[in-house]
Amino acid sequence: MQNDNAYMGEQKVGKLLAKFSVPCMLALLVSALYNIVDQIFIGNSSVGMYGIAATTVVFPITVIGQAFAYLCGDGTAAFMAISEGEDEGVMTPETRKGSKLSKAVAGTLSLTVIFSVIIIAVAFPLKEPILYLLGASENTIGYAVDYFNIIVAFFPAFMLMNMLNAVVRADGSPRYAMAASLTGAILNIILDPIFIFACGWGIKGAAWATVTGQVVSFVLCIIYLFRSRMFRLSFKAFIPDFRLIWKCIRLGISSFINQIAIDIMAISLNMLLSSYGAMSVYGEDIPIAAIGIETKVFTIVLNIFAGLVLGGQPILGYNYGARKFDRVRSCYKLILLWTLIVGAAATILIESIPQYILAAFGTSTDSSGYDQSLYIEYGKYTLRIFLALVICNGVTKISGVVFQALGKPGKAMAVALVRDIVAFIPLVILIPYISEMYNPGSGVVSLLYAGPAADFIGCVLTAILTVFIFRGLKKEEAAYKRSLELKEKFTQQAGAPQAQDTAEETAEINGIQ
């Protein structure tokens, strides 16, 4: 049977990108609804702002779970795409069962389960100290613990859902991946008002609605494994092949580092917001709740960026593996163009109507009596300042995935680390410190400027690395063309079998994998 994904090297790039990226984008947007819908219903419930603040301090823990899921899932997806492009051969159902792709998927799936169990074993005994460290206060710790207990207990399903979704997309089924995410999200939306309001479960209801949706999405992804195109899982496939697992992990390290960088950034931000907020008119809970809303708004924009590039990842990887360099360049240009368009539209929207965005998450005073006007005021500052250069952030994020798809995990890690760690962390510490020296109480607002400053620095580095990588692709292309010329020459002189060996040796000499 012919390679099912050969069309990725033949159809028009724009048509392919639409086919893969639109479902992927919708799937990721739907995935974002898990937490966003919770926040909206929680914000409009009796717990109000304190409930939003509580879910915000739990957020970094969920990011850790996602980091390990993406390490395995995105790495395996990249490995699948590159391998298919390189092989472009004949694959029968029998050979699929014992193929390297089957072993790779089985190995990283098992590794995801192991990671989820380790996180649960570490997080549960230390939950209260962890939550206080992440910015919980006496007003929010009870809500945070209730939410944490349910969300973290279901980490195996949550992490496997994220890992397998990437595998399903890479297997050439982006619509199925979207449907799996969409089904869980719709169920979450339906159950949220029932559990929160009708059952009176409050923040626990939001957590139960979320994990129920995640479990359903996970089950749908598991069902897909019995009908996959590029591989067939068997008991034998689950015998660890550490060499293949490492190849996948190596390609997924940039996604992992990116998520961990986001987590370090979120933890640092929560701690500083709580500290400087206590020294200001806003108090320690309002800034935490406001940054929680900002995170959810940014997640929507980020998931559109991610949908564009993750949809294009199999196309990039396949054509890079097949040495079709013109198609690689065309795909990247289209992804970049749409990232710039989406980033510009998001910036205009966020800067124009922040008050309406805040209103969706609830702004009425609850029984605890927090100051509504201060909440809205700081929320508007947060959205307008922190997301001012979201377009630059988008360019950085999509480029990291492109580098990963082209087998350049080191450069992919570099762009994530520079923006979120090397630039953001020092800036978010220094800016409010200096601001407080000259204007006491201003640090909680001034630290927000660390966001756009880091976005700009990260974008500049990304542009430089992109130029170097695509110059390198031109050299690879020239070397590959020379190897083909030698193949043709030796075909005429020595026959096809020997020519094939010679061409492969020449390619290796020129650094072509």
Side-chain angles (χ1 to χ4, degrees), residues 190-239:
I190 293 171
L191 293 178
D192 257 322
I194 295 174
F195 289 171
I196 294 173
F197 300 111
C199 296
W201 295 349
I203 200 166
K204 290 182 180 179
W208 278 114
T210 296
V211 298
T212 302
Q214 289 171 353
V215 169
V216 169
S217 294
F218 156 68
V219 170
L220 290 174
C221 287
I222 289 292
I223 291 172
Y224 179 86
L225 296 180
F226 295 96
R227 48 158 286 185
S228 53
R229 300 179 180 184
M230 293 162 55
F231 61 90
R232 288 289 184 270
L233 295 185
S234 62
F235 289 112
K236 187 177 179 181
F238 283 89
I239 298 173

Side-chain angles (χ1 to χ4, degrees), residues 337-353:
L337 174 63
W338 281 105
T339 297
L340 294 174
I341 292 172
V342 170
T347 301
I348 293 170
L349 190 67
I350 292 167
E351 297 295 324
S352 301
I353 56 169

